């Protein structure tokens, strides 16, 4: 992907649902700024074998599963008639389809676009999602047989949005595990640049239809022993699974300015790569991540020392976090003339690892940080891991809420997302600062990158 600096891709709308009852952007920002713990006990209304799950540690070789995770309170809430869907079909639909549709509608409204008046426009829809085992097996006969083909189809997470809103552009689901959401944003931006669609929705959804991910990581002894996800921390003991849905609206900057849409950020550059062969597929690669980050920074046209905020992958694992930190230090760790360090964080410290949606929840955190001119803290950051040398590294953990001064009217940030399938994604953003009246400062994005 080469970035078109004459008419770059911008983000003009967003919406989110996250654990802890977060249903609005205001809810999300408040939770982040106040460093809230959004984790909670396992849901008791999904028919999960919780007694068996919590007893796994009694079997030799299995790790402890705490009664904790980042679960959506509204995963089962849906108004099918609002979207023209029958109640029986709605029950057969994977909740990832339902909540993604609801959040996509809100993202359009946030962009000042009427979702019910889109017609049959060539608008793209790119969503990240993974199969989370919702509902009965297809070979079973039940009241919902006949609806399962569309209800369980992973591609319908995007297809349902396109169908209900009348979008006739590309409609694609990206499944590269935990890198899915940023990969979806990357593909959406390329789709617009290549004139495959005039503008696009991009996002991701993760709602667990079963606790299978907890079983898998219990067997691998990779779950947080205390039920807390501690990215980049010395006492990190493993990751903790969570849920979430996020959607952004992308278009060319010329279109945004012509229609008067608020510009949250320019997508200066994005890249996707793979670890390649060598280590087992699930093991991260510092060299691959470094190559990816360098390529993204080069595409962005921004010097790495201008990037003040990095929303890392940061899963709280003893293997992954140090490898990621090493790659980040190689690219963003150059000495800065003003003596500052880039601040690093991960929203997983608040709400757990939202899997396919993790990168999008991190991206929206960055967009809100730019909007508010503040960098929220990462929880559990008081004691950074000693597996890397932080002194003189140019990086430090964001341990408290602090103001974020723009550089010539612009704030620069980066977001990472890496998948267990070996796929990596990275993006670099530029966000316009607002003056006291809420208008873009004189040194706008256009002037800063002329």
């Amino acid at each position: 992907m080469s970035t078109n600096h004459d008419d770059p891709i911008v983000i003009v709308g967003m919406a989110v649902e996250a654990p802890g009852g977060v249903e609005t952007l205001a809810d999300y920002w408040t939770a982040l700024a106040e460093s809230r713990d959004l984790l909670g006990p396992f849901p008791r209304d999904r028919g999960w074998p919780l007694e068996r799950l919590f007893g796994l540690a009694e079997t030799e070789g299995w790790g402890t599963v705490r009664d904790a995770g980042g679960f959506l309170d509204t995963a089962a809430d849906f108004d099918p008639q609002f979207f023209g869907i029958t109640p029986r079909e709605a029950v057969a639909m994977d909740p990832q389809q339902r909540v993604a549709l609801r959040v996509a509608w809100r993202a359009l409204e946030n962009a000042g676009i009427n979702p019910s008046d889109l017609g049959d426009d060539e608008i793209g829809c790119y969503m990240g999602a993974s199969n989370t085992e919702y509902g009965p097996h297809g070979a079973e006969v039940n009241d919902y047989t006949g609806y399962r083909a569309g209800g369980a189809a992973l591609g319908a997470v995007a297809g349902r949005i396109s169908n209900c809103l009348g979008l006739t552009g590309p409609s694609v689901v990206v499944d590269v595990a935990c890198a899915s959401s940023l990969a979806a944003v990357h593909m959406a931006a390329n789709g617009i640049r290549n004139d495959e669609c005039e503008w696009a929705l991009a996002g991701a959804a993760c709602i667990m239809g079963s606790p299978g991910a907890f079983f898998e990581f219990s067997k691998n002894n990779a779950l947080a022993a205390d039920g807390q996800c501690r990215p980049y921390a010395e006492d990190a003991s493993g990751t903790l699974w969570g849920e979430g849905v996020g959607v952004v609206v992308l278009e060319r900057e010329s279109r945004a300015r012509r229609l008067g849409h608020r510009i949250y950020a320019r997508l200066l550059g994005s890249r996707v790569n793979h670890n390649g062969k060598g280590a087992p597929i699930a093991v991260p690669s510092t060299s691959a991540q470094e190559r990816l980050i360098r390529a993204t920074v080069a595409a962005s046209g921004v010097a790495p020392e201008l990037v003040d905020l990095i929303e890392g992958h940061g899963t709280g694992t003893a293997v992954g976090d140090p490898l990621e930190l090493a790659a980040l230090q190689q690219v963003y760790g150059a000495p800065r003339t003003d003596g500052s360090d880039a601040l690093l964080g991960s929203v997983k410290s608040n709400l757990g690892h939202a899997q396919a949606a993790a990168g999008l929840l991190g991206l929206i955190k960055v967009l809100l940080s730019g909007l508010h001119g503040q960098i929220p803290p990462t929880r559990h950051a008081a004691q950074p891991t000693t597996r890397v040398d932080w002194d003189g590294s140019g990086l430090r953990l964001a341990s408290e809420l602090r103001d974020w001064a723009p550089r010539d009217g612009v704030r620069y940030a980066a977001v990472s997302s890496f998948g267990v399938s070996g796929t990596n994604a990275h993006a670099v953003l530029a966000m316009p600062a607002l003056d006291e009246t809420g208008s873009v400062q004189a040194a706008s994005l256009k002037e800063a990158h002329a």
Side-chain angles (χ1 to χ4, degrees):
M1 177 199 75
S2 59
T3 300
N4 184 346
H5 290 289
D6 294 329
D7 197 5
I9 305 301
V10 295
I11 297 172
V12 299
M14 55 180 168
V16 67
E17 287 194 22
V22 171
E23 297 185 44
T24 68
L25 295 171
D27 291 341
Y28 194 43
W29 174 251
T30 299
L32 296 175
E34 296 180 355
S35 191
R36 289 186 191 168
D37 184 352
L38 300 177
L39 303 172
F42 275 71
R44 263 59 179 178
D45 59 353
R46 300 189 190 184
W48 289 357
L50 298 183
E51 185 174 345
R52 182 183 177 197
L53 185 65
F54 299 145
L56 289 176
E58 298 175 8
T59 303
E60 184 178 355
W62 292 68
T64 299
V65 180
R66 298 294 181 187
D67 189 7
F71 303 103
L72 288 188
D73 296 341
T74 55
D77 295 348
F78 186 63
D79 183 356
Q81 293 181 332
F82 180 83
F83 294 104
I85 298 170
T86 66
R88 178 170 290 185
E89 183 177 9
V91 174
M93 289 166 54
D94 185 333
Q96 295 180 134
Q97 295 181 29
R98 299 182 228 151
V99 183
L101 178 57
R102 181 168 69 218
V103 175
W105 186 282
R106 293 174 183 165
L108 290 168
E109 290 181 326
N110 181 259
I113 298 169
N114 184 353
S116 62
D117 191 31
L118 294 178
D120 289 322
D121 295 333
E122 291 193 358
I123 302 164
C125 184
Y126 301 78
M127 295 293 293
S130 297
N131 191 326
T132 62
E133 303 178 314
Y134 173 74
H137 293 295
E140 298 178 11
V141 177
N142 53 61
D143 291 343
Y144 305 102
T145 300
Y147 293 105
R148 291 284 294 151
L154 194 60
V157 175
R160 188 74 63 173
I161 296 171
S162 297
N163 175 255
C164 289
L165 300 182
L167 316 183
T168 61
S171 188
V172 178
V173 163
V174 181
D175 182 8
V176 284
C178 308
S180 297
S181 58
L182 278 193
V185 171
H186 173 75
M187 291 181 64
N190 281 346
I192 297 170
R193 291 191 188 96
N194 294 332
D195 294 323
E196 297 173 21
C197 50
E198 186 176 8
W199 56 279
L201 291 162
C206 175
I207 299 172
M208 289 177 275
S210 86
F214 287 91
F215 279 90
E216 189 73 7
F217 267 52
S218 170
K219 178 61 176 174
N220 291 329
N221 285 277
L223 284 174
D226 61 352
Q228 288 286 321
C229 188
R230 302 174 183 270
Y232 315 117
E234 178 67 9
D235 55 354
S237 59
T239 199
L240 190 73
W241 298 122
E243 302 176 327
V245 180
V247 178
V248 295
V249 182
L250 302 167
E251 63 186 359
R252 290 186 175 90
E253 186 169 326
S254 60
R255 186 177 193 275
R257 294 187 182 278
R258 184 175 73 250
L259 298 177
H261 292 164
R262 173 173 49 191
I263 296 175
Y264 288 109
R266 270 184 179 175
L267 181 62
L268 295 182
S270 62
R271 281 286 192 273
V272 175
N273 78 354
H274 194 273
N275 295 334
K277 66 179 182 179
I281 190 171
V283 177
S285 166
T286 292
S287 60
Q289 292 178 21
E290 182 182 343
R291 288 195 303 273
L292 171 77
I293 297 168
R294 288 194 186 281
T296 309
V297 171
S300 75
V302 171
E305 58 266 25
L306 296 180
V307 175
D308 291 315
L309 173 61
I310 301 168
E311 175 65 12
H313 188 57
T315 59
T317 56
V319 174
D321 283 10
L323 294 176
E324 178 187 359
L325 288 169
L328 290 172
Q329 288 176 344
Q330 287 297 317
V331 183
Y332 293 114
R336 301 173 179 231
T337 56
D338 60 3
S340 65
D341 293 324
L343 293 180
L344 170 67
S346 172
V347 75
K348 296 176 183 67
S349 67
N350 300 89
L351 49 81
H353 188 348
Q355 304 164 72
L360 216 291
L361 294 177
L363 173 62
I364 293 178
K365 169 188 170 182
V366 167
L367 296 174
L368 291 174
S369 298
L371 181 65
H372 290 273
Q374 292 182 305
I375 295 176
T378 283
R379 291 169 53 80
H380 316 299
Q383 293 183 309
T385 178
T386 56
R387 292 173 179 259
V388 299
D389 185 4
W390 295 90
D391 292 338
S393 69
L395 296 177
R396 60 190 171 94
L397 296 184
S399 58
E400 61 184 1
L401 181 66
R402 58 176 294 163
D403 292 337
W404 183 6
R407 297 175 181 271
D408 295 325
V410 181
R411 297 182 174 96
Y412 298 97
V415 186
S416 287
S417 192
F418 310 130
V420 73
S421 60
T423 298
N424 310 303
H426 192 71
V428 175
L429 306 163
M431 289 158 286
L434 304 180
D435 62 21
E436 294 179 354
T437 68
S439 301
V440 175
Q441 290 183 1
S444 65
L445 282 174
K446 180 169 253 181
E447 293 160 339
H449 291 276

